[in-house]
Amino acid sequence: MALNLPSPAQVKPLFFSYNLKSNTFTKLPGRFCIKRKDNENGVERGVYCSIQSPEPAWPGTAIPDPNLKIWDTPKPITILGSTGSIGTQTLNIVAEFPHRFNVVGLAAGSNVALLADQVKTFKPKVVALRNESLIDELKEALADSEHQPEIIPGEQGVIQVASHPDAATVVTGIVGCAGLKPTVAAIEAGKDIALANKETMIAGAPFILPLAHKHNIKILPADSEHSAIFQCIQGLPVGALRKILLTASGGAFREWPVEKMKEIKVSDALKHPIWTLGRKITVDSATLFNKGLEVIEAHYLFGAEYDDIEIVIHPQSIIHSMIETQDSSVIAQLGLPDMRLPLLYTLSWPERIYCSEITWPRLDLSKYGSLTFQAPDNVKFPSVNLCYAAGRAGGTMTGVLSAANEKAVELFVDEKISYLDIFKVVELTCEEHQKELVASPSLEEIIHYDQWARQYAANLQKTLSY
């Protein structure tokens, strides 16, 4: 594999002059932070990207193609990561609306028992199991089933499920960069993407977005915040979007004083005030890395400049995100905290499917009394500045930041580093990567630097005291 490493002349503009450690309580040792540009009078005008971003998935509008097919038969879908949280919730939707959706392919990692049950219930044509050593176990579990799908082992099996000729939409619920190659295969096969894999945009956007435009496919966001933005820009004229307002619950430590943050234990970080989530995303919510990463994702999905994407802490988590238009109107999407809602809209867009009140409780604002908002504390949560800086650097930097954070969270959960060390690990990894940043990476380069970042972050454990 030949890597396209930049020359020193290419790297130099990406070093940042504003030192993050000067305004964060963690006193980070690195220099990876924000570079500001002054106007001719010396007045600060904002922060500018070093690298030109690719054309966004939804450039400030969400207007359906008049030739877009409206399905009068069940829409055929495949699900990557069918045994995970996204996959199981998607299948719950299919079970409730069998007249609207039909599963033609399932791909899972290693949960044989659950995958076998899903095959018996939904009867897909093709099934993939990434863990090849468990294929015989899966075949045995399905031996007495009336329905016998084609079973394909390994990553190649996942890719074949993603690109199955009968599917119209692929739900990408595989976690991490493992989801990139199947997503690329789906795009090249002309499938629309129900996007539930963050790395597709955060790490892969410089490669994925041009590919999506080339093959004229739609990338539809399935997480609550970006689905909210997508819903708010429906029918918006070109150029009408002024600002994106990403809401955040604030995580477990929203009310903690700064001086207490050094005492945080793993059990503290795993107590999310609103959502029931997996361990990694719950810690990301506690550090606010989840929201910083969503800023990067919003930039690539909707084309807003980083100066025009703002995080707003909204503890009730009823407003899932907002947009501001050029005339200063603010449009918000509200709903109960339920991941099924954005998943359903992603699958049904541009249609709206009627939902029963029995299984889809309706929002009654009178029960809440008040909705509150506040700015994020960037001193308590240096993750926010780190994510903005990585986004402005562009190229492979955003993927490196995401991978370093994932490894740092793993080390923290395993009690090998402290909570505050998460920020240090991420910043030091990003700072080191500035020497080799690739502005317009290939898929191979994106995956290479994902692995490099994990290894570099793991090695930093030796230099940190827990």
Side-chain angles (χ1 to χ4, degrees):
M1 177 178 64
L3 297 178
N4 179 27
L5 301 183
S7 68
Q10 290 174 293
V11 173
K12 187 175 180 180
L14 300 172
F15 280 88
F16 298 97
S17 60
Y18 178 72
N19 197 329
L20 186 61
K21 71 179 181 180
S22 64
N23 73 337
T24 57
F25 76 101
T26 50
K27 298 188 184 301
L28 303 180
R31 293 173 290 108
F32 180 76
C33 32
I34 301 168
K35 181 177 182 180
R36 296 188 176 274
K37 182 176 180 180
D38 297 342
N39 67 11
E40 61 273 13
N41 298 318
V43 178
E44 185 178 279
R45 296 178 59 190
V47 188
Y48 293 76
C49 297
S50 298
I51 292 173
Q52 183 66 38
S53 292
E55 184 182 351
W58 297 95
T61 63
I63 301 173
D65 185 330
N67 298 317
L68 183 69
K69 180 175 181 179
I70 302 299
W71 294 86
D72 51 11
T73 58
K75 185 178 185 179
I77 67 172
T78 59
I79 303 172
L80 311 182
S82 68
T83 59
S85 174
I86 294 297
T88 54
Q89 289 181 86
T90 302
L91 288 172
N92 287 340
I93 291 170
V94 174
E96 186 169 355
F97 302 102
H99 59 294
R100 301 302 301 259
F101 307 109
N102 173 47
V103 177
V104 298
L106 296 174
S110 57
N111 191 336
V112 171
L114 180 54
L115 179 59
D117 287 342
Q118 292 174 344
V119 170
K120 293 175 183 178
T121 301
F122 296 98
K123 299 177 173 53
K125 294 181 179 180
V126 60
V127 174
L129 191 64
R130 183 177 290 274
N131 189 335
E132 299 185 38
S133 65
L134 298 175
I135 284 292
D136 289 339
E137 185 179 336
L138 176 61
K139 290 179 177 179
E140 184 178 348
L142 293 172
D144 61 349
S145 175
E146 292 183 7
H147 178 72
Q148 293 293 324
E150 180 183 6
I151 299 175
I152 311 172
E155 183 179 46
Q156 191 56 41
V158 179
I159 289 173
Q160 289 192 43
V161 168
S163 56
H164 194 279
D166 292 348
T169 296
V170 179
V171 180
T172 59
I174 296 176
V175 176
C177 275
L180 286 179
K181 287 185 178 179
T183 302
V184 168
I187 292 171
E188 290 178 336
K191 315 300 179 185
D192 286 339
I193 304 299
L195 182 65
N197 170 280
K198 286 185 179 297
E199 279 70 25
T200 299
M201 288 293 104
I202 293 167
F207 178 82
I208 294 289
L209 286 175
L211 191 70
H213 289 298
K214 175 183 176 181
H215 291 277
N216 195 31
I217 65 94
K218 302 297 186 186
I219 297 178
L220 299 145
D223 68 315
S224 60
E225 292 82 1
H226 299 103
S227 175
I229 298 164
F230 182 65
Q231 293 179 60
C232 289
I233 65 173
Q234 294 296 307
L236 210 66
V238 174
L241 179 63
R242 184 175 184 176
K243 195 170 192 177
I244 286 174
L245 302 164
L246 276 172
T247 57
S249 70
F253 308 124
R254 183 182 67 245
E255 305 297 337
W256 281 46
V258 170
E259 58 271 14
K260 193 179 177 184
M261 302 291 277
K262 61 184 178 183
E263 303 171 12
I264 291 172
K265 304 299 182 187
V266 174
S267 57
D268 299 321
L270 293 177
K271 296 175 183 175
H272 196 285
I274 299 291
W275 300 86
T276 300
L277 304 163
R279 290 161 71 90
K280 195 267 181 183
I281 186 61
T282 304
V283 174
D284 279 352
S285 178
T287 61
L288 249 65
F289 260 114
N290 72 318
K291 207 53 51 179
L293 291 169
E294 286 172 8
V295 166
I296 296 168
E297 198 171 359
H299 166 75
Y300 282 125
L301 282 170
F302 306 109
E305 296 294 337
Y306 284 102
D307 282 352
D308 297 326
I309 304 173
E310 180 180 331
I311 296 172
V312 179
I313 303 300
H314 170 50
Q316 295 81 17
S317 294
I318 294 300
I319 296 178
H320 298 300
S321 276
M322 300 171 273
I323 66 164
E324 180 183 353
T325 59
Q326 294 292 351
D327 59 5
S328 78
S329 292
V330 175
I331 303 169
Q333 188 269 327
L334 289 72
L336 294 172
D338 188 339
M339 266 303 300
R340 294 177 305 159
L341 285 169
L343 279 167
L344 177 63
Y345 189 61
T346 298
L347 292 173
S348 63
W349 181 83
E351 297 181 86
R352 295 276 186 176
I353 294 178
Y354 174 82
C355 295
S356 164
E357 292 184 38
I358 298 173
T359 53
W360 301 76
R362 296 168 72 182
L363 175 64
D364 183 353
L365 283 173
S366 64
K367 293 181 179 179
Y368 287 88
S370 63
L371 303 178
T372 61
F373 309 90
Q374 63 192 73
D377 188 334
N378 292 351
V379 174
K380 281 168 58 175
F381 302 105
S383 49
V384 174
N385 279 346
L386 286 170
C387 289
Y388 273 95
R392 291 181 172 106
T396 48
M397 185 63 77
T398 51
V400 163
L401 173 126
S402 179
N405 173 63
E406 188 171 331
K407 187 62 183 181
V409 169
E410 178 187 321
L411 294 171
F412 167 66
V413 170
D414 291 341
E415 300 186 347
K416 294 178 179 178
I417 64 173
S418 72
Y419 170 85
L420 297 183
D421 284 339
I422 296 174
F423 306 107
K424 297 177 185 177
V425 166
V426 175
E427 190 197 11
L428 290 170
T429 304
C430 289
E431 183 183 349
E432 181 66 21
H433 182 57
Q434 289 181 112
K435 302 171 184 176
E436 294 188 353
L437 188 149
V438 182
S440 299
S442 65
L443 182 62
E444 291 73 20
E445 287 166 331
I446 290 168
I447 294 171
H448 166 80
Y449 282 111
D450 173 89
Q451 296 302 311
W452 171 87
R454 293 170 194 274
Q455 185 61 52
Y456 189 86
N459 290 338
L460 286 173
Q461 175 196 343
K462 304 168 187 176
T463 68
L464 302 170
S465 58
Y466 179 55

